[in-house]
């Protein structure tokens, strides 16, 4: 009986992961994709999708949770072991953007269902980490801003969301967006544009 239960659980987990993977791909392809479309693409019946996710909003919310965790991991990995605050910020933005480029359409979609407040709440740990890094840069004179670190972190976050929307709307080329985002964030923190551009170019080589 225990073996049968374990088998059922692992199969349900595999189904859930497959539904999430397929849902992300379908929603990025068609932001209006229905639960029926997602079920067909995943090769399961509609009831199976609803068994894991009671509504389309719940499915999107779960995808957003996964995206936020991926962004948090990329942010941490990008700055790990880097002493210079400017380089740490640049590396973290470049790392985040590699993930964000996959999820940027999902973020736009999530704004219809999860709300920006919900997304901001999910990003609280990432923002706290950014505040610490920005404060260190301000204390060392690497950054210069009339804003305190918490407000500057909030501005950076909103800028990144705005740049994602700019790519979605065709105003910024996706292949240039990561570097542009890193330079923009650094200059907003008071790093001279020439230095920010050179630093990001070096890190992008």
């Amino acid at each position: 009986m225990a073996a049968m239960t374990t088998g059922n659980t692992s199969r349900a987990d595999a189904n859930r992961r497959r539904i999430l993977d397929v849902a992300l791909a379908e929603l990025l392809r068609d932001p209006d994709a229905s639960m029926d479309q997602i079920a067909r693409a995943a090769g399961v019946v509609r009831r199976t999708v609803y068994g894991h996710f009671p509504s389309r909003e719940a499915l999107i919310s779960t995808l957003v949770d996964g995206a936020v965790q991926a962004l948090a991991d990329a942010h941490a990995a990008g700055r790990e072991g880097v002493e210079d605050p400017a380089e740490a910020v640049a590396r973290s933005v470049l790392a985040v953007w590699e993930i964000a480029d996959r999820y940027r359409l999902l973020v736009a979609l999530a704004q219809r269902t999860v709300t920006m407040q919900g997304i901001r709440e999910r990003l609280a740990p990432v923002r706290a980490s950014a505040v610490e890094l920005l404060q260190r840069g301000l204390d060392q004179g690497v950054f210069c801003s009339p804003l305190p670190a918490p407000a500057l972190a909030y501005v950076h976050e909103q800028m990144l969301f705005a740049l994602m929307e700019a790519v979605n709307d065709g105003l910024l080329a996706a292949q240039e967006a990561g570097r542009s985002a890193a330079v923009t964030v650094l200059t907003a923190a008071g790093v001279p544009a020439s230095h920010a551009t050179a630093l990001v170019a070096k890190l992008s080589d």
Side-chain angles (χ1 to χ4, degrees), residues 162-178:
L163 288 170
M164 286 184 205
E165 291 185 6
V167 175
N168 289 345
D169 290 344
L171 304 175
L172 178 64
Q175 61 269 25
E176 299 295 327

Side-chain angles (χ1 to χ4, degrees), residues 34-162:
S34 67
M35 296 288 265
D36 281 341
Q37 285 175 256
I38 291 166
R40 283 197 299 273
V44 298
V45 297
R46 188 167 179 261
R47 186 177 61 195
T48 300
V49 176
Y50 277 105
H52 291 283
F53 307 100
S55 66
R56 188 172 180 274
E57 289 71 24
L59 174 58
I60 291 172
S61 183
T62 302
L63 287 171
V64 170
D65 284 342
V68 168
Q69 186 58 55
L71 292 170
D73 291 346
H75 183 269
R79 56 176 287 199
E80 185 177 3
V82 181
E83 291 299 321
D84 175 47
E87 183 178 341
V89 166
R91 284 184 181 277
S92 66
V93 172
L94 289 170
V96 161
W97 200 269
E98 286 187 22
I99 305 296
D101 195 47
R102 181 186 181 203
Y103 290 115
R104 58 188 166 79
L105 289 172
L106 177 62
V107 170
L109 177 65
Q111 290 176 29
R112 304 185 206 169
T113 55
V114 181
T115 76
M116 282 307 297
Q117 182 60 35
I119 295 173
R120 280 199 293 268
E121 288 170 1
R122 287 167 166 81
L123 286 171
V126 178
R127 193 180 310 113
S129 176
V131 169
E132 177 193 346
L133 177 56
L134 291 171
Q135 187 61 60
R136 181 154 58 87
L138 290 168
D139 291 343
Q140 294 177 9
V142 175
F143 302 141
C144 177
S145 173
L147 299 174
L152 186 57
Y154 184 87
V155 168
H156 282 177
E157 184 181 298
Q158 296 305 303
M159 287 170 62
L160 291 175
F161 279 129

